[in-house]
Amino acid sequence: MSESDLKRFTSEKRKKTSDNDEGLEPLREMSKTTISGGQQVYQARQPQSPEDDQQKQPKRQFDVIAIGSGPGGYTAAIRCAQLGMSVAIVERDLIGGHAVNWGCVPLNAMIASARIVRTVRESNLYAIDIPAHRIEFPRIARRRDEAVKNVRQQVKSFLQKYNIQVYIGIAELLDEHRIMVRSVKKYPYANVYDSEGRSPYETDNFLPVQNNTVIYGKNIVISTGVDYEFPKFVETNDKKSVDTTHLLWNRTVPETLTIIGGGVLGCEIASLYSLLMSKVTLLEKNSRLLKIMDESVSLAVESRLKEFGVKVLLNVDVEKVSKGEVFYRNKQLDTTQTLTAHRVVICTGRKPSFDYDLLKKIGIAVDKENSRIVVEEDTCRTTKQNIYACGSVVSSCWSWIPCAIRQGHLVANAICKNRIIEYDRESQFQISINSAAPYVINVIPAVAGVGSVPEFEDDCLVFTFDFKSNRRAIIDGQLWGFVKMWVSKDEPKKLFAVQLVHESAAEIIEYYGMIISLNLSLHDVCLLPFAHPTYSESVKQACEYVLGRSIEYEGAYLN
């Protein structure tokens, strides 16, 4: 080959390479970086400025960019990548989001230990005498740390398996296709430490971006989660007032604990710390706990918490919190009283993490009154055709991770619609996601529910089934608890909603969720075989009772 031919060949090859770079795959955007211990990780190459990004560097283009790596974000991202899309995730914190690192996983890891504490206390019911036991909280904290690391690594492994590019930084929407990833100045929980006294960020192998970086997405998914918000009655910089994350990651159990808010988090924290030997007081402004649940469920939870030693104060308005002191007014007695504790944990609510004005500027509709982004129910598409939102930024049921996961699937289905049809042509598998997402409240024993309770009970039939008739419950001595069912009046009878309180509620509710999702009649359920003796068998027993076919249970028909 002559010298002129060689130059022409090289020039053409470079041109082809440049043309192909328009659809860069995620891994081609990454450079290898060595961190402490010699470990090598991949990190996005960073331009000096947004202008340099456009002029000197190939465009970072993806089919899908998810903002937030929590349950909604990583579900949408992984599912889109499975269907062949090029995907990136922008995360301001640790991979997995709040649920994996600071909320659901660490909380439930500690609750698992608390359940054992309760079992030890009740061991005499099983003819086993345990005269003394010692709670070693540092070991409980180590179990918590390991659970968090394992789940976070599980999420990371799937992101890596499907070549999903990760940008650690603050995402700012520039327009409907461009995102500026800014460097993280301070992590949300920079002052939180694990059982060994280390910051969880020290052990993470994803490095934050060092310079502002612009990335481009054909589709964008907003799944930014929520932030804790202290109410105005909490004194600024009060070191004794904490959110649930700082309480869970505290290296000791407070001797006395005041909890403000008797919703989901408040009841879970009260259940956990009372079993870990903290003296707990729970304050709620309403006339009962768990206002979102049926009254019978709320009363059952309240009675159980009192058995564990929790002092429950209802109908109270908190006026001020300062240095461990809580000043509150009893609405029934119209008197002001004071509580003092080593720690005060605020469980009064959280707010979605997004900028109203920025979204409005881009053309995304926001329901300010309910603090949520407006989306189509079946696709989670916003008012911008290529921008989607899922999880707590759109859902009124922000407490329920299953909602975020379900919405993540809906987003992926909408974005990858054509690819799903092509995929299913061979597999004959049709993805179908129903709105009946089960949820669990991890008090001890657990509370669970699924479906929508009819607004007027005259529109349905209401039944309760007590576990005292279930053979597994009799064998295990777990007779406390019940199932409440809202059933259609018309034939064939079907379930509208179910709520239950029992030790095994988290597992049983899955069956009711499938029954509602698959639109099965109670007659269909009665024809299904169940293993014996099991708690799941109670599902069939309850359906038989509703249809008047029970051979084991005399229950209560409520209306």
Side-chain angles (χ1 to χ4, degrees):
M1 182 180 294
S2 66
E3 185 176 346
S4 60
D5 290 338
L6 179 60
K7 288 181 179 180
R8 186 173 63 253
F9 174 78
T10 304
S11 175
E12 289 174 354
K13 186 174 180 181
R14 285 175 179 168
K15 184 178 185 303
K16 288 180 180 179
T17 303
S18 177
D19 291 341
N20 289 337
D21 279 345
E22 286 300 311
L24 286 174
E25 295 178 3
L27 283 180
R28 296 177 62 188
E29 282 293 299
M30 305 173 85
S31 61
K32 194 175 289 185
T33 304
T34 302
I35 60 175
S36 60
Q39 183 181 3
Q40 290 184 329
V41 297
Y42 285 96
Q43 180 187 17
R45 295 191 183 97
Q46 304 302 333
Q48 295 301 311
S49 68
E51 291 75 14
D52 290 339
D53 180 54
Q54 296 180 44
Q55 297 173 11
K56 298 181 181 180
Q57 295 288 338
K59 292 182 179 179
R60 294 176 171 85
Q61 294 182 335
F62 302 92
D63 294 320
V64 181
I65 300 174
I67 305 175
S69 69
Y74 71 65
T75 297
I78 292 171
R79 184 69 185 118
C80 287
Q82 286 174 339
L83 291 166
M85 295 282 186
S86 61
V87 181
I89 276 184
V90 183
E91 173 57 58
R92 66 173 180 167
D93 198 24
L94 293 171
I95 293 298
H98 192 278
V100 169
N101 297 289
W102 313 114
C104 178
V105 173
L107 172 61
N108 282 284
M110 294 170 68
I111 285 175
S113 296
R115 291 185 189 279
I116 300 300
V117 173
R118 193 204 61 173
T119 300
V120 169
R121 290 183 184 179
E122 297 177 350
S123 61
N124 64 321
L125 298 174
Y126 302 92
I128 299 173
D129 184 21
I130 302 178
H133 66 276
R134 182 175 69 253
I135 298 173
E136 297 184 11
F137 187 74
R139 294 177 64 187
I140 292 175
R142 281 197 291 274
R143 278 196 74 257
R144 173 204 65 203
D145 297 345
E146 285 304 312
V148 170
K149 290 176 186 176
N150 288 341
V151 176
R152 185 166 66 229
Q153 184 55 47
Q154 183 185 58
V155 177
K156 285 181 179 180
S157 67
F158 269 81
L159 298 182
Q160 292 165 345
K161 177 180 179 180
Y162 293 104
N163 295 332
I164 296 172
Q165 168 113 24
V166 176
Y167 292 88
I168 301 298
I170 305 295
E172 179 185 334
L173 272 172
L174 300 178
D175 54 41
E176 58 188 298
H177 289 290
R178 294 187 305 151
I179 293 174
M180 172 80 78
V181 184
R182 301 186 182 278
S183 59
V184 180
K185 300 301 181 185
K186 182 180 179 182
Y187 286 109
Y189 297 105
N191 59 340
V192 171
Y193 304 95
D194 64 16
S195 58
E196 306 299 329
R198 298 173 302 181
S199 167
Y201 301 102
E202 293 176 12
T203 59
D204 194 55
N205 61 354
F206 280 110
L207 301 177
V209 300
Q210 298 302 310
N211 301 294
N212 295 343
T213 305
V214 175
I215 56 178
Y216 305 78
K218 294 179 183 177
N219 301 282
I220 293 174
V221 183
I222 302 172
S223 52
T224 49
V226 292
D227 291 320
Y228 288 110
E229 183 178 36
F230 275 12
K232 293 180 180 179
F233 57 69
V234 179
E235 189 176 76
T236 305
N237 298 323
D238 183 1
K239 294 182 179 180
K240 288 195 173 184
S241 296
V242 296
D243 58 34
T244 56
T245 294
H246 286 89
L247 177 69
L248 290 175
W249 287 80
N250 197 304
R251 300 181 69 185
T252 60
V253 175
E255 183 179 337
T256 55
L257 176 66
T258 298
I259 302 171
I260 299 177
V264 174
L265 280 172
C267 289
E268 289 178 336
I269 293 295
S271 178
L272 167 62
Y273 278 85
S274 61
L275 286 168
L276 295 181
M277 304 302 291
S278 185
K279 189 175 180 181
V280 178
T281 303
L282 177 60
L283 283 71
E284 168 57 41
K285 66 179 181 180
N286 293 305
S287 59
R288 61 183 177 90
L289 303 175
L290 293 175
K291 192 74 173 177
I292 60 173
M293 302 298 291
D294 181 73
E295 185 175 4
S296 61
V297 174
S298 298
L299 293 175
V301 170
E302 181 183 344
S303 68
R304 208 59 164 175
L305 289 177
K306 288 179 177 178
E307 287 179 22
F308 295 156
V310 177
K311 183 178 181 180
V312 179
L313 301 177
L314 303 174
N315 290 307
V316 298
D317 282 332
V318 176
E319 297 178 342
K320 183 180 178 182
V321 177
S322 174
K323 300 179 178 65
E325 286 190 307
V326 178
F327 302 86
Y328 68 94
R329 184 175 65 86
N330 186 312
K331 289 189 281 189
Q332 289 182 322
L333 301 177
D334 196 23
T335 58
T336 300
Q337 298 175 351
T338 305
L339 278 172
T340 303
H342 291 86
R343 280 285 183 273
V344 179
V345 59
I346 311 300
C347 300
T348 53
R350 295 178 283 181
K351 63 177 182 179
S353 178
F354 57 78
D355 187 326
Y356 290 106
D357 295 332
L358 179 61
L359 295 182
K360 185 177 178 181
K361 182 179 178 181
I362 294 173
I364 298 174
V366 176
D367 179 356
K368 256 193 170 181
E369 183 178 351
N370 296 303
S371 299
R372 65 185 184 91
I373 298 172
V374 177
V375 296
E376 296 175 358
E377 185 176 346
D378 295 334
T379 63
C380 290
R381 181 183 280 115
T382 69
T383 47
K384 275 291 182 182
Q385 192 71 10
N386 69 301
I387 299 181
Y388 301 77
C390 62
S392 51
V393 294
V394 305
S395 179
S396 59
C397 61
W398 57 262
S399 296
W400 319 127
I401 291 175
C403 285
I405 294 173
R406 169 184 166 269
Q407 289 161 354
H409 278 287
L410 290 176
V411 167
N413 289 352
I415 292 174
C416 306
K417 185 176 181 181
N418 294 333
R419 293 173 184 251
I420 290 175
I421 293 172
E422 181 180 351
Y423 174 80
D424 291 341
R425 190 175 295 131
E426 295 182 7
S427 66
Q428 299 300 308
F429 176 73
Q430 182 62 45
I431 297 173
S432 177
I433 301 177
N434 190 280
S435 59
Y439 53 88
V440 178
I441 301 173
N442 286 292
V443 291
I444 303 175
V447 171
V450 67
S452 300
V453 176
E455 186 176 357
F456 303 104
E457 289 199 344
D458 290 344
D459 297 336
C460 62
L461 303 173
V462 185
F463 297 84
T464 58
F465 171 87
D466 295 329
F467 280 94
K468 63 185 179 183
S469 295
N470 176 259
R471 302 292 166 80
R472 182 78 255 170
I474 293 171
I475 292 168
D476 291 350
Q478 298 292 340
L479 304 177
W480 187 88
F482 61 88
V483 182
K484 189 165 184 178
M485 299 166 286
W486 288 262
V487 182
S488 66
K489 288 184 176 180
D490 299 333
E491 296 292 343
K493 287 186 169 56
K494 296 182 179 181
L495 293 170
F496 289 128
V498 174
Q499 294 182 15
L500 64 146
V501 185
H502 191 260
E503 186 69 26
S504 57
E507 305 303 324
I508 296 173
I509 199 62
E510 303 293 351
Y511 290 89
Y512 286 110
M514 285 186 281
I515 290 168
I516 295 175
S517 295
L518 297 173
N519 199 29
L520 297 177
S521 70
L522 273 59
H523 174 77
D524 295 331
V525 178
C526 292
L527 296 177
L528 296 173
F530 283 79
H532 176 83
T534 60
Y535 288 117
S536 60
E537 195 176 15
S538 66
V539 176
K540 181 175 181 178
Q541 291 173 310
C543 291
E544 288 176 336
Y545 162 62
V546 171
L547 296 178
R549 302 178 186 177
S550 179
I551 59 174
E552 299 169 334
Y553 177 68
E554 289 292 336
Y557 169 52
L558 301 185
N559 66 346

